[in-house]
Every structure is written in structure tokens, then in C-alpha cells.
Amino acid sequence: MVKILAATKEEIEFVDNKLGEFNLSQVPATQNPTLVLKNNVIKDKEAIIAGVKADVYHWGILYIEVLFVDENHRYKGLGSSLLQKVEQEA
């Protein structure tokens, strides 16, 4: 039986690097962003309450790097609105 343990920062970096090595052995590293989308935020007055950062890669892959909605503003459709905006731009 295996044990699932919480990973340290170093351990998860190791796993990430191993996956990167495998991916490079299978596919050439041509996945540079071809279109850096405008990053978007939603503000309440001057405070940022939600935001998204995304890129479109060479093969037409939309990659959402960050999607954040402040805890006090969740379940109001803000994240969905940001994703729809990014999808339209892509």
C-alpha cells in the first residue's frame, strides 16, 4: 500500500521538472506564447477583487495561468465572466 504525503516545495518542483523532461522527450519545445492576452481584473472601487492571466500557445492552446476571485466575492459569477472574456479574446 502506498502513502500519499503532503509535498514540500522542493518535492513538487522535482515532480514538475520530471514532467517537463518527459514532455520535452515527446514533443519539441515550440510552445512559446504566440499571443499574450490582455490580463484582466475586476475592481470594487479601487480594490482588485478578481483577476485572470492567460496566454495562447503556438498550437492554439489557451492556458489560464492564474484565476483569482477574492473570498468575499465568490459565487457571484466573477470568475466565469473573466473566463468568458479570455475565451472571446483567444
Side-chain angles (χ1 to χ4, degrees):
M1 184 170 172
V2 298
K3 290 183 182 179
I4 299 175
L5 307 169
T8 65
K9 180 181 176 182
E10 292 79 17
E11 290 169 335
I12 205 65
E13 285 177 8
F14 173 83
V15 171
D16 189 34
N17 289 335
K18 286 297 185 181
L19 178 60
E21 289 173 13
F22 172 78
N23 288 344
L24 285 174
S25 75
Q26 302 298 308
V27 183
T30 58
Q31 298 179 25
N32 295 320
T34 56
L35 172 64
V36 177
L37 299 175
K38 182 175 74 175
N39 300 316
N40 297 286
V41 295
I42 297 174
K43 293 183 177 182
D44 181 10
K45 297 182 176 110
E46 292 301 313
I48 296 172
I49 60 171
V52 65
K53 181 178 185 220
D55 300 308
V56 175
Y57 282 82
H58 179 72
W59 296 332
I61 297 168
L62 173 61
Y63 176 69
I64 307 296
E65 185 172 342
V66 175
L67 175 64
F68 169 76
V69 178
D70 182 81
E71 189 173 353
N72 295 322
H73 297 277
R74 293 180 184 161
Y75 308 105
K76 298 177 182 177
L78 300 178
S80 295
S81 295
L82 286 169
L83 288 176
Q84 288 172 0
K85 172 80 170 163
V86 167
E87 289 173 349
Q88 288 170 355
E89 288 183 20

